[in-house]
Amino acid sequence: MLYSEKVMDHFANPRNVGELEDANAIGEVGNVKCGDIMKMYLKIEGGVITDVRFKTFGCGAAIATSSMATELIKGKTIDEALTLTNQAVVEALDGLPPVKVHCSVLAEQAVKSAIADYYTRQGIDPTPIVGEIGGCDSCSCH
Ligand code: FES
């Protein structure tokens, strides 16, 4: 089987799907190559991500990785969420086929993009904290 049971589970029953009315951090990233788009909504209180939702217009792997990413960052501090790598998301899903690893990069970038928005809203330049966010094009996985 091409996809692990966990990937199929998160694709068929994605966690934390939708929008957050009271989000105070919203990120959106896209992959220009495949046209997939991922939007991430966070509610951050006292430096902790207390709630999270996502909407992904994309492939099955993009949906599964964004679902897993929301599970991994919920209840974590901003600093912990910023250390989330696409490899950690892939490992939590028991792996992805090599041609689909780039989809997990979109999930990592969506989290970073939302956190960048959180800082921008407070008048803080997010780049030194979050780094450059360029969607899948800026990664070296393909
Ligand atoms: Fe576009 Fe997976 S093919 S994110």
Side-chain angles (χ1 to χ4, degrees):
M1 176 119 157
L2 197 56
Y3 290 108
S4 73
E5 269 176 39
K6 275 194 188 160
V7 173
M8 292 308 289
D9 177 34
H10 276 264
F11 170 57
N13 308 293
R15 322 298 199 268
N16 307 308
V17 174
E19 294 182 25
L20 260 189
E21 291 283 326
D22 54 353
N24 56 2
I26 300 174
E28 181 175 337
V29 288
N31 182 330
V32 290
K33 290 213 177 72
C34 61
D36 291 353
I37 297 167
M38 200 178 282
K39 208 160 174 183
M40 188 75 67
Y41 303 79
L42 307 179
K43 186 171 181 192
I44 300 174
E45 290 171 303
V48 174
I49 297 164
T50 55
D51 212 351
V52 50
R53 296 278 189 285
F54 80 92
K55 285 206 298 200
T56 291
F57 182 81
C59 72
I63 291 166
T65 52
S66 37
S67 169
M68 180 54 89
T70 61
E71 293 257 281
L72 291 172
I73 61 167
K74 199 169 181 177
K76 299 279 165 61
T77 64
I78 294 176
D79 288 348
E80 286 167 337
L82 282 175
T83 64
L84 180 77
T85 61
N86 76 297
Q87 286 97 328
V89 175
V90 172
E91 274 168 32
L93 286 168
D94 291 337
L96 274 178
V99 294
K100 285 284 157 189
V101 168
H102 75 273
C103 314
S104 67
V105 175
L106 210 56
E108 177 192 319
Q109 300 270 310
V111 171
K112 293 202 162 113
S113 163
I115 294 173
D117 177 55
Y118 177 73
Y119 285 116
T120 303
R121 288 179 192 219
Q122 295 169 64
I124 300 167
D125 176 11
T127 312
I129 306 164
V130 177
E132 294 286 344
I133 298 159
C136 209
D137 252 20
S138 66
C139 85
S140 52
C141 70
H142 55 84

